[in-house]
Amino acid sequence: MQSLRQYRQIFAAADTQVKNGRILNLSAAGSSVLESRGVDSPSSINIDSLQSSSLDKDEHTILVRWEGQEDPLSPRNWSLARRVAVFSILWINVFAVDRASSADSQAGSRIAAAFHVSEEAEALSVSLYTFGLAAGSLLAGPIAETVSRNPIYVVSRCLHVAWLVGVALAPNFGAQCVFRLLAGLSGSVLLAIHAASVADIFGPTYRTVAWPIIALASFWGTSFSPITGAWIAQSGIDWRWTEWIAVILSGSTLILTVLFLPETFAPILLSWRAAHLRALTGCDRFKAELDLQDTIRQRFKVALLRALHMITREPVVVLLGSWIVVEYIVVYGLLQGFSYIFGDTYGFSRGLIGTCFAAIAVGCALWTAAIPIYYYQYKQKAGALHEQVTDRPRRMSLVHRANSPGTDLPEPEYRLWQALLAAPAFPISLFWMGWSNYASISPWSDLGATVLLGFSWAGIYVTVYQYLLDTYGIYAGSALAAITCCRYAASGAVNLISRPVYNGLGVHWTMTLLGCLAVLQMPLPLLFYRYGPRLRAKSSFAGRYTKPGTKRGMTGRALSWR
């Protein structure tokens, strides 16, 4: 609905300019807002001269861009209220999809009894959803880089709701598994490309605060779902209500998506503008960058190969991706593990065991609450950089428009500040949870460790994603799709084996094993601070941000707080 409205608005703007005899088109912008050519005024194309040369086959292509730096049709120039509204729709969609991943995880015993299978077999239902998320995300990322956002969102959300209805009505275990897998496949699209949609409407500076907030939707979706599922399982209400709640929530977000979510992918909006200008002027020289690229099939092939390259040959993606994978192994392992930690040790009922997941949500919220402090420091750091490079007073409008980390914004390594507390908090929370898990010690101790685990989860996840977005820019979608695939594949696998592992090793040694893995990864922020610039320089897709010896290269160390 909104994309149709945008299509008409772009046509109306182009029609007005053609009737006025003068088409405004932004000149090629520099890589930095600190460069004079980075704030060029738009060039003017005279209709009369255009028509007189329209039959000349040798005339060069006119590359269509926005009318100017402040073009209101550009998603980053929309009013803050409109961007927040779009952001809110994305937020509730992410919450709904992630919530569905663990919707019936705490009702496994009742579902197993209803379908006459073991609880270990029923765990496959939860795992198949995450396996679907993993498989679909590897394809969704390349699709989003080659087509547009809005139709993908609408189609995937429609299918997601339909498959969730199938899960709720499943007559047997086989049907439940098939529909859970299909629901995961359709839901993966949103989880794979919502980061790109956030980047469409917010630049790196605003993204400093926007990304942690939308990440909170993912954390809370995973954390709150077991709470409702556990109380439904304990109360005696039909277990299918764990699925129907997911259907109602996803159905509501589908309506919001269809009616109010606009197209945010700038290349497709510019291709619409180019098409309108060709139709209105009769001149085929108007082309958007998307029109000059290869066919959709070829672009998809290249994007898919790029994602595979990222996860196999990019050390930045491999190392930071493995950090997130371990976090998800721990969190999804707790879907079964809390029964041992709080059920067997402290005798908690099923409802109280599920309620303990709220501690993870609290920890994530605590970390997110500190983001305004970092956001302020990030703006000050960027402002100081602008003063050093230009010898002029800082302008916050330029800071908000800046779009090149390492050129007119701090280096990507400055994002690592966010992980300096989260990195040690991760292994500490695991050792704490494992070795205070005795009936003689208050359960509040383990709940405190769970809060700290949530704190580290949010900190590590957001830091890694911010760093990758700054490092890979337009290619970040491939890196994030590869990581999303790995983390959900690992989550599904650990859900299948966590019960035998807890039975075999017990809580103490299971947490010790995971804690040791976390200790090995704890130095990653410092290692990337020291070696990150070299890795980026050698990368096929990150490249160099600044040339050695330039004034920009003399502005101090990336991790300098001020």
Side-chain angles (χ1 to χ4, degrees):
M1 297 286 287
Q2 289 297 308
S3 58
L4 292 175
R5 180 168 168 264
Q6 288 174 277
Y7 189 84
R8 296 191 187 100
Q9 288 177 332
I10 292 174
F11 175 83
D15 185 53
T16 299
Q17 290 190 4
V18 170
K19 288 179 178 178
N20 291 336
R22 197 166 70 97
I23 299 173
L24 297 178
N25 195 49
L26 188 65
S27 303
S31 62
S32 168
V33 296
L34 303 181
E35 301 174 8
S36 59
R37 69 178 182 275
V39 290
D40 274 349
S41 58
S43 60
S44 176
I45 302 173
N46 188 281
I47 292 295
D48 294 332
S49 62
L50 184 68
Q51 291 177 340
S52 64
S53 61
S54 61
L55 299 179
D56 190 344
K57 301 297 183 181
D58 295 328
E59 286 289 333
H60 61 81
T61 296
I62 300 175
L63 191 58
V64 175
R65 296 186 175 89
W66 298 113
E67 295 179 11
Q69 293 284 358
E70 306 299 327
D71 190 338
L73 296 178
S74 171
R76 287 195 179 179
N77 291 331
W78 293 345
S79 68
L80 183 60
R82 185 181 183 189
R83 284 183 288 163
V84 169
V86 173
F87 180 81
S88 300
I89 296 174
L90 291 172
W91 195 99
I92 192 64
N93 271 283
V94 172
F95 178 84
V97 172
D98 261 310
R99 188 197 173 284
S101 67
S102 53
D104 56 7
S105 62
Q106 300 303 299
S109 59
R110 293 189 55 193
I111 301 175
F115 288 150
H116 307 292
V117 297
S118 66
E119 289 189 45
E120 286 77 10
E122 175 53 32
L124 180 63
S125 171
V126 176
S127 295
L128 283 172
Y129 186 94
T130 55
F131 288 151
L133 292 177
S137 62
L138 197 59
L139 299 176
I143 291 174
E145 292 180 7
T146 56
V147 195
S148 60
R149 318 277 194 230
N150 188 266
I152 296 176
Y153 280 136
V154 171
V155 172
S156 66
R157 297 302 288 130
C158 286
L159 291 175
H160 187 246
V161 173
W163 302 138
L164 287 179
V165 171
V167 176
L169 297 174
N172 53 55
F173 178 65
Q176 183 200 29
C177 288
V178 170
F179 284 124
R180 288 282 291 179
L181 176 63
L182 293 173
L185 282 169
S186 56
S188 66
V189 174
L190 180 78
L191 298 185
I193 68 175
H194 74 279
S197 295
V198 172
D200 288 342
I201 58 178
F202 293 116
T205 302
Y206 280 126
R207 176 165 41 82
T208 303
V209 68
W211 178 245
I213 293 176
I214 201 166
L216 192 62
S218 179
F219 307 144
W220 280 3
T222 304
S223 302
F224 285 143
S225 182
I227 300 176
T228 54
W231 285 108
I232 287 174
Q234 180 176 314
S235 65
I237 298 174
D238 188 353
W239 63 266
R240 294 182 187 273
W241 273 104
T242 61
E243 311 294 355
W244 284 118
I245 293 174
V247 171
I248 293 170
L249 179 59
S250 289
S252 301
T253 61
L254 170 61
I255 294 172
L256 291 174
T257 301
V258 172
L259 295 180
F260 302 111
L261 189 65
E263 178 58 63
T264 61
F265 192 41
I268 197 67
L269 297 177
L270 290 174
S271 72
W272 292 352
R273 183 174 190 240
H276 289 321
L277 289 174
R278 290 195 298 269
L280 291 167
T281 62
C283 178
D284 291 334
R285 292 167 53 199
F286 289 103
K287 301 286 185 180
E289 288 187 4
L290 199 64
D291 301 325
L292 301 176
Q293 295 179 9
D294 296 327
T295 63
I296 290 179
R297 180 180 178 181
Q298 183 63 25
R299 294 203 309 268
F300 176 77
K301 178 182 176 181
V302 171
L304 182 59
L305 291 175
R306 184 165 57 240
L308 295 174
H309 173 95
M310 290 278 193
I311 202 61
T312 56
R313 302 183 64 182
E314 289 285 324
V316 173
V317 178
V318 173
L319 291 173
L320 294 180
S322 66
W323 203 13
I324 289 185
V325 165
V326 173
E327 277 277 7
Y328 271 76
I329 285 175
V330 172
V331 172
Y332 273 80
L334 292 178
L335 292 177
Q336 306 291 338
F338 268 14
S339 295
Y340 298 88
I341 295 171
F342 293 104
D344 291 354
T345 303
Y346 300 112
F348 280 16
S349 66
R350 172 54 57 189
L352 288 178
I353 291 173
T355 304
C356 291
F357 282 91
I360 297 179
V362 170
C364 295
L366 288 175
W367 189 88
T368 307
I371 281 298
I373 299 174
Y374 176 78
Y375 175 57
Y376 173 80
Q377 290 294 342
Y378 189 86
K379 289 194 300 181
Q380 295 304 307
K381 177 79 171 178
L385 164 65
H386 289 197
E387 287 181 350
Q388 288 176 300
V389 174
T390 63
D391 293 322
R392 295 192 299 268
R394 68 185 68 178
R395 292 168 53 193
M396 280 298 114
S397 60
L398 285 183
V399 170
H400 289 141
R401 275 179 42 208
N403 197 44
S404 301
T407 304
D408 50 21
L409 286 172
E411 293 90 343
E413 283 70 36
Y414 190 71
R415 299 288 189 184
L416 299 173
W417 265 108
Q418 301 173 90
L420 292 184
L421 290 178
F426 185 27
I428 289 172
S429 66
L430 296 175
F431 290 128
W432 177 5
M433 188 183 302
W435 291 100
S436 67
N437 187 242
Y438 292 96
S440 59
I441 299 176
S442 171
W444 287 104
S445 176
D446 275 341
L447 286 171
T450 306
V451 171
L452 188 61
L453 174 63
F455 180 90
S456 67
W457 183 22
I460 292 171
Y461 179 92
V462 171
T463 298
V464 169
Y465 270 57
Q466 294 277 41
Y467 184 83
L468 293 176
L469 286 166
D470 279 3
T471 296
Y472 290 106
I474 61 172
Y475 299 122
S478 296
L480 300 183
I483 290 178
T484 300
C485 175
C486 291
R487 65 186 167 100
Y488 279 115
S491 300
V494 78
N495 186 66
L496 290 176
I497 66 172
S498 57
R499 188 179 291 273
V501 169
Y502 277 102
N503 280 328
L505 296 180
V507 172
H508 309 308
W509 290 108
T510 298
M511 290 300 169
T512 299
L513 176 62
L514 294 171
C516 290
L517 289 176
V519 166
L520 293 176
Q521 296 175 314
M522 188 170 63
L524 282 177
L526 297 178
L527 290 175
F528 272 91
Y529 160 58
R530 184 174 180 84
Y531 301 108
R534 292 188 220 175
L535 292 174
R536 288 191 283 110
K538 295 178 181 179
S539 168
S540 302
F541 299 106
R544 297 179 184 272
Y545 281 104
T546 55
K547 295 180 179 180
T550 63
K551 190 171 184 180
R552 170 64 189 90
M554 305 175 185
T555 57
R557 298 171 71 84
L559 276 183
S560 173
W561 179 243
R562 296 183 182 278

